[in-house]
Amino acid sequence: MTTAKKALPLVTQEKRKLYLHIHGWFGAGKTWFAATAPGPVLFADVEGGAWDTPNPKVLWDDVKDDLSQLKGHKDLLVIKKLSTERELIGMIEMLMAGKYGDQPHPFESFVLDSLTMFQMKLKREVQKPGHDFDPDVKVDWDGWNRLLNHMLMRCEDLIEVKDPSHKKPVNVVLLSGTDREQTFARPLLEGNFRKRLPGIVDLHGFMRRDRVDGKNVPALYFESTDLIDAKNRLDAVSEKWPEGRIVNPTIPKILTALNER
């Protein structure tokens, strides 16, 4: 007697997740874009910008808080203030484990706002381990290597949590400022990390505000040009928006495009 073979389940929008890095000028709409991620969103807030979004919000400031009540709140931002690398590692470890305590964590997305400010804080920690930060001391070669390695380790860990095979996959959105060097817009990040980060994420985009039909609206550029540092490995995005930009971008728009192919 033969047993029926079980069909492999399709990877639907609930399982297909995104790993995005978006850089842009201050006020371009990056935080509002990140806040459109499916929720509840664990929002690692370095700059305080999450409080200006229209989403309902709660502040998570006690590790003993009960998170089970948050499940199913699709627009909710759960804001966790981020000041140290140890705090970020704790959040990533929870996401990698897929649970908080003995229960599955409720989060559908993770946002870090911003990498630019977090890197500045991390530099203080790794300049000379075990010593207070001295702004008058030049960071040596070993210090720059430590900074690069720590930043890469945290961002590479997040690859695992967005994979559809993970026990509790989540969307990951990293935000940075933009350094406009003469006529070329690059992420406002220091060292080789700026060059290495695009290779980690699915979409490395640039956001600014454009004039469209007489209105000033956010636009996300996802293809590199002579003026813009960007990268896109999502073919469905290129097919949906062949002009290379998404006007009034949201994360659900991109997720829908991935599942329409």
Side-chain angles (χ1 to χ4, degrees):
M1 180 178 178
T2 60
T3 58
K5 294 182 179 180
K6 184 179 179 181
L8 294 175
L10 292 175
V11 177
T12 62
Q13 184 169 330
E14 288 70 29
K15 279 288 187 179
R16 182 69 187 269
K17 304 299 179 181
L18 292 169
Y19 193 171
L20 309 176
H21 171 242
I22 307 300
H23 69 101
W25 296 316
F26 302 109
K30 302 184 300 296
T31 301
W32 282 50
F33 167 76
T36 68
V41 179
L42 175 56
F43 203 107
D45 193 10
V46 190
E47 299 185 353
W51 297 104
D52 294 326
T53 64
N55 305 59
K57 310 168 190 69
V58 295
L59 177 64
W60 183 20
D61 59 358
D62 190 336
V63 294
K64 298 179 182 179
D65 288 341
D66 179 14
L67 300 180
S68 61
Q69 61 185 319
L70 306 179
K71 186 176 180 180
H73 291 263
K74 296 183 178 180
D75 297 324
L76 184 67
L77 301 188
V78 181
I79 300 173
K80 189 81 170 70
K81 189 64 179 174
L82 177 59
S83 299
T84 68
E85 185 181 23
R86 181 62 255 176
E87 292 170 340
L88 177 58
I89 290 173
M91 286 184 257
I92 293 176
E93 286 178 344
M94 178 195 66
L95 295 172
M96 292 180 73
K99 59 184 181 180
Y100 178 69
D102 297 328
Q103 300 295 321
H105 71 69
F107 303 112
E108 296 296 328
S109 303
F110 172 71
V111 174
L112 199 167
D113 186 12
S114 70
L115 275 179
T116 300
M117 188 64 71
F118 176 72
Q119 188 181 50
M120 292 174 61
K121 291 180 178 293
L122 182 59
K123 188 193 296 185
R124 301 182 183 187
E125 297 185 52
V126 303
Q127 180 195 58
K128 193 173 182 181
H131 296 75
D132 292 336
F133 176 73
D134 186 346
D136 296 321
V137 173
K138 182 179 179 180
V139 179
D140 60 20
W141 182 257
D142 290 337
W144 282 113
N145 277 336
R146 284 193 295 271
L147 183 64
L148 172 63
N149 290 338
H150 282 244
M151 294 289 288
L152 285 176
M153 288 172 65
R154 304 292 78 85
C155 292
E156 288 174 354
D157 285 344
L158 290 167
I159 295 175
E160 178 179 336
V161 304
K162 80 95 186 184
D163 193 276
S165 65
H166 190 267
K167 61 194 75 175
K168 183 68 169 67
V170 300
N171 300 290
V172 177
V173 185
L174 310 177
L175 304 179
S176 299
T178 287
D179 181 10
R180 185 169 183 174
E181 300 174 353
Q182 295 182 345
T183 60
F184 196 71
R186 293 185 174 94
L188 188 58
L189 296 165
E190 295 188 84
N192 284 325
F193 177 68
R194 180 172 72 181
K195 301 176 182 178
R196 301 280 293 275
L197 179 60
I200 295 174
V201 300
D202 298 321
L203 189 150
H204 163 70
F206 168 70
M207 185 172 287
R208 71 182 189 189
R209 299 193 72 86
D210 286 353
R211 182 68 61 177
V212 178
D213 296 329
K215 297 181 179 179
N216 191 331
V217 297
L220 173 60
Y221 289 78
F222 53 80
E223 293 181 353
S224 183
T225 70
D226 292 340
L227 302 177
I228 294 171
D229 185 2
K231 185 217 76 171
N232 169 41
R233 66 161 60 114
L234 304 173
D235 291 341
V237 172
S238 297
E239 293 170 4
K240 181 73 173 181
W241 294 279
E243 66 276 16
R245 72 169 182 175
I246 307 172
V247 175
N248 289 315
T250 68
I251 293 172
K253 278 185 181 180
I254 299 175
L255 284 169
T256 298
L258 295 181
N259 288 279
E260 285 180 343
R261 298 189 74 200

